[in-house]
């Protein structure tokens, strides 16, 4: 039997076009000498996700060319302008038919969430019915782990920029919250002002 984390795939949503950043794709922003997409992949791998699927959208060709994503499964989302929901559907679709028992979803524009928080959420996995979310001072955030038993429901509910929010709201009682406020900072890189957070 393989260790349980070997069957948990990292799912990185990295398709955003950075509309409020003047159209600069978020995946290619620099942080600590790496692109944000490389930084996030490293966090997933360091935490224990050997298999990482990366959903690309805006400037996908440039991301493939400039970022080192070797060993990752790259998933193109042609509908990325429709919001995060389409990327979540594309990513979960790419995992269907694999032996993955869960998907740990991380967003490319949250570089303050590193491998420690990812590992803590990963450690709360129990089985394909698991639904686990990081929390920051008790407030649900990312990353979020979806056992495979939830994938169809998440995909069906994922619309626009809300991603899995509607599904999680309906299944709130089933979510295991894992406090990560001592390990990570869940800020987003959304606006020009947010760029000051990049190092």
């Amino acid at each position: 039997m393989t260790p349980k984390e070997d069957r948990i795939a990292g799912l990185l949503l990295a398709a955003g076009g950075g509309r409020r950043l003047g159209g600069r794709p978020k995946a290619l922003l620099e942080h600590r000498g790496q692109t944000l997409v490389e930084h996030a992949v490293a966090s997933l791998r360091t935490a224990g996700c050997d298999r990482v699927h990366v959903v690309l959208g805006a400037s996908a060709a440039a991301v493939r060319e400039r970022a080192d994503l070797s060993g990752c499964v790259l998933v193109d989302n042609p509908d990325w302008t429709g919001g995060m929901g389409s990327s979540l559907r594309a990513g979960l679709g790419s995992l269907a038919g694999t032996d993955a028992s869960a998907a740990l979803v991380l967003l490319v524009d949250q570089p303050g969430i590193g491998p420690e928080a990812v590992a803590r959420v990963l450690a709360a996995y129990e089985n394909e019915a698991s639904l686990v979310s990081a929390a920051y001072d008790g407030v649900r955030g990312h990353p979020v782990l979806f056992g495979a038993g939830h994938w169809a429901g998440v995909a069906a509910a994922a619309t626009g920029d809300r991603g899995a929010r509607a599904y999680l709201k309906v299944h709130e009682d089933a979510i295991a919250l894992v406090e990560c406020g001592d390990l990570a900072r869940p800020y987003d890189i959304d606006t020009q002002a947010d760029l000051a957070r990049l190092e």
Side-chain angles (χ1 to χ4, degrees), residues 148-164:
H150 294 281
W151 294 354
V154 171
T159 56
D161 262 330
R162 295 182 60 78

Side-chain angles (χ1 to χ4, degrees), residues 112-114 116-118 120-121 133-143 177-187:
I113 299 174
E116 301 83 7
V118 175
R120 194 175 278 181
V121 171
S133 174
Y136 300 90
D137 296 324
V139 178
R140 184 170 51 73
H142 283 89
L177 287 181
V178 178
E179 181 57 47
C180 294
D182 59 321
L183 294 175
R185 296 172 296 147
Y187 58 82

Side-chain angles (χ1 to χ4, degrees), residues 21-109:
L21 292 166
R24 296 166 66 186
K26 292 182 179 185
L28 291 177
L29 295 174
E30 297 273 335
H31 181 62
R32 297 181 182 171
Q34 293 180 302
T35 61
L36 283 189
V37 70
E38 290 167 332
H39 179 79
V41 165
S43 290
L44 287 166
R45 286 207 170 120
T46 301
C49 292
D50 292 330
R51 176 187 301 158
V52 177
H53 287 220
V54 181
V55 181
L56 300 177
S59 304
V63 175
R64 287 172 184 268
E65 186 181 317
R66 287 181 45 199
D68 179 4
L69 298 175
S70 50
C72 295
V73 174
L74 303 183
V75 182
D76 285 309
N77 175 17
D79 302 320
W80 65 268
T81 54
M84 192 195 308
S86 64
S87 289
L88 187 54
R89 287 195 306 274
L92 290 174
S94 74
L95 289 169
T98 71
D99 67 349
S101 57
L104 193 144
V105 179
L106 188 64
L107 307 182
V108 78
D109 65 350

